[in-house]
Amino acid sequence: DAKTTQPPSMDCAEGRAANLPCNHSTISGNEYVYWYRQIHSQGPQYIIHGLKNNETNEMASLIITEDRKSSTLILPHATLRDTAVYYCIPRDGTASKLTFGTGTRLQVTL
Amino acid sequence: KAGVTQTPRYLIKTRGQQVTLSCSPISGHRSVSWYQQTPGQGLQFLFEYFSETQRNKGNFPGRFSGRQFSNSRSEMNVSTLELGDSALYLCASSSERHSYEQYFGPGTRLTVT
């Protein structure tokens, strides 16, 4: 599995965009980039995933660099409920397991 | 559609005992995975079951085992409990069509004393 590097913590003001970076320089060609988050005392929640194109859904946008060595998760208008630990996870498209790193603890403040 | 349910939510056991945790996946999901979460090691994959067969296994000792029933419900068992087994045990289910998205339950908090 590819290794990831994420900042341990970030702050964001409510209503502003939260941009969470992830470095995955050893990602292989068949590995997608998945993002999950874990709100305190809950199980992780799927956010978005992508291979090489930028992706957007109702929760977030995912920007993957052309060389696929890094990506950025964007929460366009962060709210207090987005306070959570965010995990960037490279994963083979056929694999079932998720390998969680340490993630980024995002604190959204008023 | 009901989410993933796990029972019990909290459990206290003594060293040396064994414990069985239960997970009911989302209706129609045939894949069930188990994870252990501790402050020191974070979230770690235990194993995955699909159609009553273990399809993938993490790096845990043989004291950790699981099974899946024909209705896709799954149980995991930990024998000869150790203090280090105190953790949040999470179950996740996914469908064949959207295997990329795992839905997690709220977890079972196990405390070993």
Side-chain angles (χ1 to χ4, degrees):
Chain A
D1 294 336
K3 301 294 183 185
T4 60
T5 303
Q6 296 181 254
S9 64
M10 293 182 65
D11 292 327
C12 179
E14 189 176 36
R16 303 298 295 268
N19 295 279
L20 294 98
C22 179
N23 181 289
H24 35 75
S25 58
T26 61
I27 195 168
S28 63
N30 62 345
E31 285 185 306
Y32 289 71
V33 180
Y34 286 76
W35 284 82
Y36 276 73
R37 72 180 182 184
Q38 186 174 25
I39 296 169
H40 184 61
S41 299
Q42 297 182 22
Q45 176 190 24
Y46 166 83
I47 302 172
I48 198 167
H49 75 285
L51 183 62
K52 54 184 178 181
N53 296 322
N54 298 339
E55 302 288 343
T56 296
N57 63 19
E58 64 278 5
M59 287 183 68
S61 294
L62 174 61
I63 308 297
I64 303 173
T65 58
E66 194 169 342
D67 62 8
R68 299 201 341 111
K69 292 185 177 182
S70 66
S71 61
T72 300
L73 179 75
I74 302 172
L75 307 178
H77 305 287
T79 70
L80 297 178
R81 288 175 294 184
D82 292 321
T83 293
V85 178
Y86 287 77
Y87 297 95
C88 160
I89 306 171
R91 177 187 177 200
D92 185 304
T94 60
S96 51
K97 76 172 190 178
L98 294 168
T99 302
F100 290 84
T102 54
T104 296
R105 184 172 300 277
L106 175 68
Q107 180 69 51
V108 181
T109 57
L110 290 171
Chain B
K1 190 186 268 191
V4 177
T5 58
Q6 294 187 244
T7 57
R9 292 292 312 278
Y10 302 90
L11 203 51
I12 300 174
K13 289 286 188 178
T14 305
R15 267 184 307 176
Q17 288 186 315
Q18 74 166 10
V19 67
T20 299
L21 311 182
S22 181
C23 171
S24 292
I26 290 173
S27 178
H29 287 191
R30 293 166 62 190
S31 170
V32 174
S33 298
W34 288 89
Y35 293 81
Q36 180 197 64
Q37 185 171 26
T38 60
Q41 299 298 318
L43 272 155
Q44 293 185 287
F45 173 79
L46 279 157
F47 30 65
E48 185 223 359
Y49 285 86
F50 181 83
S51 292
E52 302 179 65
T53 301
Q54 188 179 87
R55 190 159 69 172
N56 203 348
K57 188 178 187 304
N59 190 25
F60 278 81
R63 299 184 298 106
F64 292 82
S65 63
R67 61 177 175 170
Q68 187 180 33
F69 302 94
S70 58
N71 62 357
S72 294
R73 189 177 69 86
S74 177
E75 290 181 346
M76 68 162 282
N77 182 277
V78 187
S79 62
T80 320
L81 283 165
E82 301 177 358
L83 295 179
D85 297 333
S86 293
L88 180 66
Y89 290 89
L90 292 155
C91 163
S93 74
S94 63
S95 67
E96 285 178 86
R97 185 178 179 189
H98 299 292
S99 60
Y100 56 83
E101 184 173 358
Q102 293 196 5
Y103 291 85
F104 283 79
T108 293
R109 171 78 59 188
L110 172 66
T111 301
V112 182
T113 62

